[in-house]
Amino acid sequence: MTQILKRKALALVGNHAVAYAVKQAKPQVLAVFPITPQTTMLEKLAEYISSGELKAELVRIESEHSALATIYGAAVAGARVFTATASQGLLYMGEMIYWAGGQRVPMVAAVATRAIAEPWSIWDDHQDFMSKRDAIWIQIMAENVQEAYDLTLQAFRISEDERVIMPVMMGFDGFILTHTMERVEVLEDYEVDSFLPPRQFNLIDFSDPIGVGPIAQPDEYMRIRYEAMKAMERAKSVIEEIMREYEKISGRKQYGLVECYKCEDAKYAFVTMGAWSGDAKVAVDRLRDQGIEAGLLKIRVLRPFPREKIKEYLRSMKGVIVFDRAVSFGSGGILANEVKSSLYGLEVPVYSVVAGLGGKDVRPLHFQKVMEDLIEGRLEEERWLL
């Protein structure tokens, strides 16, 4: 008889779930500048440090650029580090984001996704998160508050794995998850300590000081970029391995690079990333009640992009609808373009739906209606839900 372990369950909003995971991960240095909708995460982390629950240095900085620069230096010196931001704050970090990625410095950043100005908006879309898809960061995205907690812990482990050694960005939808309270099962501290032991390596040798970040000659620059690409490809198997290990510890299913929801026998599929994947699942269930063989492929890891998994699950579909909360202006939905590239040569029709920008409401009914239009031959190659 299988023994079922009863887990501690807490009622947490997304920001506090991430903060709880960070506390358990025991970073030594944090530098976070408050910005909506991330601010309450910073406040909770400050509470943990003030109460002694987290023994870490919280550096009070004057900008997001300084936040990333601060943890960059600490991480190079050997510390486990963390920061968080959103929207304009992530853009302000931009220069140091590329420095950390290019030098492959292990660190974790949580991004509470939010629309980018102009016009000004505090509401959710994925433009900020996806704007850093070429910054040499591993990027993972949560569907719900439970995943935000789980993926934060996994992010530290992935980042510090010596087969990878790369910064990790964990995205979760602003307000939709940051400020929504859900039931969250949390690990015991001793379980996290076993899963995520203290970091054992530095990037510099203090007995033999070196300069960090010097200019590279063209041949070396090309080689360094090639090594980063190889590390990103290696990360695919490492991510899946770490998530399987976490699944055994937590007792909760972990889906790796992608999650297939009723897509094994589907003839038509949605592709989504982030919180509205839950709405898409509701739509899939409703469509199946109507006799439409629909499914969902949820992207959990944006970088490295899971091309092989997309081919595996979508190669025989009669139609694929990709919902994007971010757009490359002059090109189209960012995720849709990635999916089309992955399916090149397979003759699978791929349709792009751009929706939810600036927090515009998207519900299961919207997914359902678009799929019905595809079945009835009324769906354009690209549609904006205005």
Side-chain angles (χ1 to χ4, degrees):
M1 182 176 177
T2 303
Q3 183 179 5
I4 299 176
L5 178 65
K6 284 192 174 181
R7 288 246 163 245
K8 182 197 297 185
L10 304 174
L12 297 171
V13 298
N15 276 339
H16 290 177
V18 172
Y20 195 94
V22 171
K23 173 178 74 94
Q24 291 184 303
K26 296 183 173 65
Q28 289 114 345
V29 179
L30 300 88
V32 184
F33 192 84
I35 182 171
T36 303
Q38 157 266 71
T39 304
T40 59
M41 185 199 307
L42 167 60
E43 293 170 347
K44 181 57 70 174
L45 287 168
E47 286 179 23
Y48 287 144
I49 293 172
S50 178
S51 67
E53 294 179 71
L54 173 59
K55 300 187 187 313
E57 181 74 21
L58 178 58
V59 183
R60 294 168 176 82
I61 35 71
E62 81 289 351
S63 73
E64 289 86 357
H65 185 281
S66 297
L68 210 289
T70 298
I71 66 166
Y72 166 87
V76 168
R80 178 173 291 161
V81 300
F82 175 79
T83 190
T85 190
S87 187
Q88 312 300 131
L90 183 60
L91 300 189
Y92 198 10
M93 282 183 178
E95 180 188 19
M96 292 308 303
I97 288 283
Y98 286 87
W99 271 83
Q103 199 170 334
R104 293 173 54 195
V105 178
M107 61 176 63
V108 173
V111 174
T113 60
R114 170 184 150 185
I116 292 173
E118 167 69 19
W120 196 253
S121 172
I122 63 168
W123 292 285
D124 177 45
D125 66 33
H126 296 164
Q127 201 77 40
D128 54 354
F129 183 77
M130 297 188 81
S131 74
K132 297 296 173 277
R133 62 193 182 278
D134 297 327
I136 319 181
W137 282 61
I138 291 170
Q139 291 183 289
I140 55 182
M141 177 71 86
E143 174 189 341
N144 49 47
V145 176
Q146 181 70 67
E147 280 196 352
Y149 167 83
D150 292 337
L151 290 176
T152 299
L153 289 174
Q154 293 169 34
F156 282 101
R157 176 70 181 277
I158 294 164
S159 177
E160 296 174 7
D161 190 290
E162 294 193 39
R163 295 166 291 178
V164 177
I165 308 182
M166 196 167 284
V168 178
M169 192 178 294
M170 194 286 295
F172 65 130
D173 290 74
F175 290 111
I176 296 173
L177 295 185
T178 59
H179 288 65
T180 296
M181 184 172 288
E182 295 180 11
R183 179 185 183 277
V184 179
E185 292 185 358
V186 298
L187 301 185
E188 298 294 338
D189 288 348
Y190 74 87
E191 292 176 303
V192 176
D193 291 343
S194 176
F195 174 73
L196 188 61
R199 185 177 146 190
Q200 298 296 330
F201 63 91
N202 295 336
L203 298 182
I204 56 176
D205 181 354
F206 288 98
S207 65
D208 183 18
I210 60 171
V212 176
I215 191 169
Q217 294 299 319
D219 287 349
E220 287 300 303
Y221 189 98
M222 186 75 179
R223 184 186 62 81
I224 290 167
R225 285 295 192 258
Y226 176 65
E227 291 297 330
M229 176 62 84
K230 289 200 298 184
M232 191 67 84
E233 287 299 315
R234 283 197 304 273
K236 292 178 182 178
S237 60
V238 174
I239 290 168
E240 299 224 314
E241 175 189 312
I242 288 171
M243 289 183 176
R244 284 193 300 269
E245 181 182 342
Y246 188 88
E247 179 178 313
K248 291 179 181 177
I249 297 169
S250 66
R252 291 188 302 277
K253 178 68 177 174
Q254 302 294 307
Y255 290 95
L257 303 177
V258 301
E259 177 187 347
C260 167
Y261 181 75
K262 298 185 178 180
C263 61
E264 297 94 341
D265 64 339
K267 294 182 179 177
Y268 302 91
F270 297 111
V271 177
T272 59
M273 184 176 72
W276 60 2
S277 301
D279 299 281
K281 290 174 181 177
V282 173
V284 165
D285 293 342
R286 291 177 180 174
L287 289 163
R288 284 190 170 251
D289 289 341
Q290 297 173 214
I292 298 173
E293 295 167 294
L296 166 70
L297 190 66
K298 182 181 80 176
I299 305 299
R300 300 181 82 236
V301 178
L302 177 65
R303 287 293 182 272
F305 196 69
R307 299 183 301 271
E308 299 84 1
K309 294 291 184 181
I310 288 172
K311 287 180 182 178
E312 176 185 343
Y313 286 114
L314 302 181
R315 64 184 312 121
S316 60
M317 295 294 172
K318 291 185 176 180
V320 173
I321 303 173
V322 184
F323 269 69
D324 260 298
R325 255 194 169 113
V327 63
S328 176
F329 293 91
S331 180
I334 295 172
L335 198 57
N337 286 339
E338 300 263 5
V339 171
K340 288 177 182 178
S341 176
S342 298
L343 295 175
Y344 177 76
L346 295 180
E347 298 184 359
V348 178
V350 178
Y351 301 85
S352 172
V353 176
V354 178
L357 303 185
K360 184 167 175 61
D361 197 24
V362 179
R363 302 184 183 187
L365 183 63
H366 294 99
F367 286 91
Q368 190 176 346
K369 178 66 167 60
V370 170
M371 182 62 78
E372 290 169 349
D373 285 350
L374 169 60
I375 301 296
E376 295 171 10
R378 297 197 303 264
L379 184 61
E380 319 86 74
E381 184 178 353
E382 178 177 287
R383 175 180 292 186
W384 285 55
L385 299 188
L386 300 174

